[in-house]
Structure formats: C-alpha cells, structure tokens
Amino acid sequence: MQTLQDTKTLNVHSIESFGTYDGPGIRMVVFLQGCEFRCLYCGNADTFDCDAGDKTHIDDLFKEATHMKSYFSNGGGITFSGGEPCLQAKKLIPLMKRLKEEGMHICLDTNGHILNHYVEEMLQYVDLVLLDVKHIDSDQHEKITGRTNENTLKFAEYLEANQKQFWLRYVLVPDLSDQLEALHRLGQHFQDYTQLQKVEIQPYHKLGVHKWELMGMEYQLPNTPQNTPEQIAFAKDIYEQYFRDVVVN
C-alpha cells in the first residue's frame, strides 16, 4: 500500500551538482531511475530498473536546488534526466511547480516515449525539452531501443503544437545511426519545426560498458568503434543543411 511519504519521493539514481552538458549554463542534474527503452549502447544501464535507486523526498531535492540557485545566474538551472523522468511525471509535478515559483529554469531530458495527462501537466513547468531521437527509421529505432519511434515523433509534434522549445539529441553510432539516408531523413522531418532550437550530435562512446558488466549484463555493441573525426564532421555538415544551430557534444 502506498503511503503519503511514497507519493512525495522520487526514485533517484544520482545527482550531478555542476553539470554543463544537459542544458544551458551550470545545472543541477537529477538522474531518475526507470526506463522502458533498452538502448544497445546505453551509458546508464543501471537506471533501467524503476524500483532501484534512492528514494528521495521532493523537499530534499527542492532544498538542494535552492542552495545552488546562485550558480544558475548564467542561464543555468535544474535538469531532470535518467533513465526516463516521464515515468515519474506525477511526482515531479509538485516539485517542478515549486521550482518555477522560485524562478528556476527547468529542463527535461526525455526519449519522448510517454505522453499522458501527467506528462502534459508536467510540461507546463518545463522551459526546455532535450528530446532524444535515436533513429528516424522506426524499424532501426526498434532495433536500437526495443521500441518503435512512433511515440517519440508524436511527442515532438506535441511540443511543436504547444510552442514548447526543445533541443534534439542524436547519438551517432557507426553502422547503426550514421547512415546517409537516415541523417537526411531526420533533417527533412524536423527542418520546419519552429520550436526546435538546436541539434546536438552525441558521438558514440563506451564509457558505460563497466555498468553493464557490474550488473552481469552483456554489452550489446562490443565491436563497434568510436566515431572518427571525419564521421562526426560528415554528420554535422548534413544537419547544417537543415538546422541553424548544430553542435557536437
């Protein structure tokens, strides 16, 4: 039976106090537990389990964020990432509401698979969405994540229709998501989105392999090499044909 305490706690994997990667400025990044995707190259495989992590009261997260507020003056703020934060949208709503009352900038890093009335309400308090699009081809997306991209593309449509600014994040994996046709198709699909502010190319890396090993899981892309500088520059050149602001993270 769920207690009142349970309704005010989030399953948190970890917190990064001075993040500069997940949104603008200096940010407090809260990585939440739980994800419905099983990305072959996931760098946070230890966030898969919804019930793992530390149960953290939203009051404690609010206090930590307010203590860091002075560091957010350059456009920074708080980012909710994961895992998939939309799985805990209902509990995030009251916390985000309090943070907005304090004037904080809120980012949501999501794969866009979940869009229900809780997520829609939560988005009212989000200033910027970091939308992870794994592949524009639905079959390839399912190969990478275990799910099709239908919900993710609908999520993007919702953001556009509701004038919610977002950045598009794309992991460039050799022989998996770096195909010429796929890069052009993604550009063509999103080129007219007025709420799309930036495209972030994220080079493939193996920094999370040890997490798979610690969990007794077999890493799915052991023989996939990291991108060459030429491969990254090639993808950037293509996306710059469609988008004003393309960066490599």
Side-chain angles (χ1 to χ4, degrees):
M1 182 177 179
Q2 190 178 57
T3 65
L4 181 60
Q5 176 76 8
D6 291 334
T7 65
K8 294 187 177 181
T9 60
L10 293 162
N11 285 359
V12 175
H13 170 269
S14 58
I15 297 174
E16 184 178 358
S17 297
F18 292 93
T20 57
Y21 178 71
D22 297 296
I26 295 173
R27 310 196 70 80
M28 172 181 163
V29 185
V30 181
F31 295 93
L32 298 174
Q33 281 291 146
C35 187
E36 295 180 328
F37 281 12
R38 293 295 180 266
C39 296
L40 300 178
Y41 48 77
C42 183
N44 291 320
D46 48 349
T47 65
F48 286 166
D49 185 357
C50 293
D51 296 322
D54 296 322
K55 291 191 177 299
T56 306
H57 200 284
I58 62 173
D59 287 348
D60 295 328
L61 292 171
F62 178 78
K63 289 176 184 177
E64 186 165 352
T66 53
H67 288 160
M68 286 195 61
K69 190 175 180 180
S70 61
Y71 296 100
F72 301 155
S73 59
N74 65 341
I78 183 167
T79 297
F80 293 97
S81 185
E84 176 46 60
C86 288
L87 286 168
Q88 301 188 60
K90 182 178 180 180
K91 296 180 181 181
L92 280 169
I93 291 168
L95 173 58
M96 287 189 179
K97 184 176 181 180
R98 291 172 65 184
L99 293 170
K100 289 309 300 177
E101 290 171 350
E102 290 293 318
M104 293 196 193
H105 184 276
I106 298 176
C107 281
L108 174 74
D109 183 10
T110 177
N111 59 39
H113 187 69
I114 303 168
L115 184 61
N116 53 36
H117 68 280
Y118 292 122
V119 175
E120 291 177 359
E121 182 177 353
M122 179 182 68
L123 284 170
Q124 297 177 26
Y125 305 106
V126 173
D127 297 287
L128 177 67
V129 175
L130 311 177
L131 182 63
D132 298 295
V133 179
K134 310 299 183 181
H135 207 288
I136 194 61
D137 180 82
S138 194
D139 290 339
Q140 281 295 107
H141 190 281
E142 187 169 11
K143 177 181 178 181
I144 293 169
T145 70
R147 306 273 181 159
T148 69
N149 67 7
E150 180 181 3
N151 286 3
T152 300
L153 298 183
K154 287 182 177 178
F155 197 101
E157 292 174 3
Y158 180 87
L159 298 177
E160 179 72 5
N162 289 273
Q163 298 185 312
K164 183 65 63 175
Q165 293 185 352
F166 70 102
W167 295 357
L168 190 152
R169 313 183 100 182
Y170 191 81
V171 182
L172 192 70
V173 185
D175 299 323
L176 194 61
S177 62
D178 66 343
Q179 304 95 334
L180 174 64
E181 179 186 3
L183 297 175
H184 277 294
R185 279 183 58 192
L186 185 141
Q188 292 161 4
H189 183 92
F190 285 103
Q191 64 180 337
D192 295 326
Y193 274 59
T194 61
Q195 298 306 306
L196 175 54
Q197 305 297 303
K198 180 186 292 189
V199 172
E200 293 185 328
I201 298 174
Q202 299 177 317
Y204 169 70
H205 62 74
K206 296 185 177 181
L207 298 178
V209 172
H210 69 285
K211 296 183 180 181
W212 290 72
E213 295 171 349
L214 287 173
M215 296 173 63
M217 298 166 56
E218 183 179 355
Y219 184 68
Q220 299 299 297
L221 301 178
N223 300 317
T224 299
Q226 296 186 170
N227 311 100
T228 65
E230 292 76 16
Q231 289 171 334
I232 296 170
F234 178 75
K236 188 172 186 289
D237 286 344
I238 290 176
Y239 281 156
E240 285 178 338
Q241 298 176 33
Y242 301 98
F243 308 112
R244 293 190 309 274
D245 192 358
V246 180
V247 299
V248 178
N249 280 344

